[in-house]
Amino acid sequence: KNEVEQSPQNLTAQEGEFITINCSYSVGISALHWLQQHPGGGIVSLFMLSSGKKKHGRLIATINIQEKHSSLHITASHPRDSAVYICAVRFKGSNYKLTFGKGTLLTVNP
Amino acid sequence: GAGVSQSPSNKVTEKGKDVELRCDPISGHTALYWYRQSLGQGLEFLIYFQGNSAPDKSGLPSDRFSAERTGGSVSTLTIQRTQQEDSAVYLCASSLAGDITDTQYFGPGTRLTVL
């Protein structure tokens, strides 16, 4: 069964802390996306990865294809980073379908 | 330029009624996706359009759900004989070409409540 697991489900941090959110998937993929959803707000695509590492500002995303695992890191976290972070993968052979993790609710306190 | 827009933003309907949800993608984007976000279920893929064709309808949950796209632009998701379990936020996204490397741009969603 093609599954995507995220951890932790909930994460509370103090402003300035380094944050890591994890995503594991069950079988081979062609692409992995990290998405951000603010409370009551829309969804924004942060990264698309098929290998290696990408960085955008304070956000870093890595993927290990052999271990079927990806991490999203936030350096120097800020209250405005508070949101739900969602991992989504395109499994090989699934055409255009994205399969989503259940999301990680991040709360950064000042 | 304008992002993805969806209408209505909220829709309350009675069980058994039909509803239509509309998506206006970013101009020039050939790929369009519909997703559903239910409380406790997370996001689910429903259907993918490339132009006016739907090569992947694998996520539509039942034959009560259908979607079409016209002129390679606007798309409509129709739910017939709505049920309470259809209550969710329905999200539309578009991307330039549908390649796996393309960024998907999401609309604000339509919150559907079936009483």
Side-chain angles (χ1 to χ4, degrees):
Chain A
K1 187 178 177 182
N2 294 348
E3 292 182 333
V4 180
E5 298 285 340
Q6 280 187 242
S7 64
Q9 204 170 354
N10 292 280
L11 181 56
T12 300
Q14 289 300 122
E15 184 172 356
E17 287 185 358
F18 181 82
I19 304 293
T20 296
I21 299 169
N22 297 299
C23 175
S24 297
Y25 48 90
S26 52
V27 295
I29 64 170
S30 53
L32 182 145
H33 298 254
W34 281 103
L35 310 172
Q36 179 192 57
Q37 185 173 31
H38 280 102
I43 295 174
V44 174
S45 180
L46 298 175
F47 295 104
M48 191 291 299
L49 295 162
S50 54
S51 65
K53 175 180 177 178
K54 287 191 176 178
K55 184 176 190 292
H56 182 90
R58 295 180 295 105
L59 301 178
I60 303 165
T62 63
I63 189 167
N64 185 317
I65 296 295
Q66 287 73 33
E67 295 189 2
K68 299 185 178 59
H69 180 270
S70 175
S71 292
L72 177 68
H73 305 285
I74 305 174
T75 61
S77 59
H78 190 277
R80 65 175 174 266
D81 297 326
S82 298
V84 175
Y85 292 84
I86 302 167
C87 171
V89 304
R90 185 171 289 181
F91 288 106
K92 286 183 179 175
S94 68
N95 295 323
Y96 305 94
K97 177 181 176 180
L98 283 179
T99 301
F100 297 84
K102 293 194 183 300
T104 295
L105 175 59
L106 172 65
T107 304
V108 181
N109 294 317
Chain B
V4 178
S5 60
Q6 293 185 245
S7 60
S9 55
N10 281 284
K11 176 72 176 177
V12 180
T13 191
E14 293 179 348
K15 178 180 172 182
K17 301 281 190 185
D18 297 353
V19 294
E20 282 191 355
L21 312 179
R22 178 186 167 109
C23 171
D24 283 86
I26 292 171
S27 177
H29 280 193
T30 63
L32 186 147
Y33 307 79
W34 281 99
Y35 299 99
R36 178 169 72 173
Q37 188 171 33
S38 307
L39 197 61
Q41 294 294 319
L43 277 154
E44 303 171 80
F45 166 86
L46 297 177
I47 188 169
Y48 161 72
F49 284 94
Q50 178 58 251
N52 292 336
S53 300
D56 193 342
K57 306 179 184 181
S58 61
L60 293 177
S62 76
D63 59 8
R64 296 186 295 104
F65 286 72
S66 63
E68 65 174 12
R69 190 177 183 195
T70 55
S73 180
V74 172
S75 177
T76 303
L77 177 69
T78 301
I79 309 173
Q80 295 179 307
R81 305 180 303 281
T82 52
Q83 304 293 312
Q84 288 182 332
E85 61 261 28
D86 299 334
S87 295
V89 176
Y90 289 82
L91 291 152
C92 173
S94 71
S95 68
L96 191 59
D99 291 345
I100 62 169
T101 57
D102 282 353
T103 296
Q104 292 189 25
Y105 296 86
F106 286 79
T110 293
R111 182 174 297 278
L112 175 65
T113 303
V114 182
L115 302 177

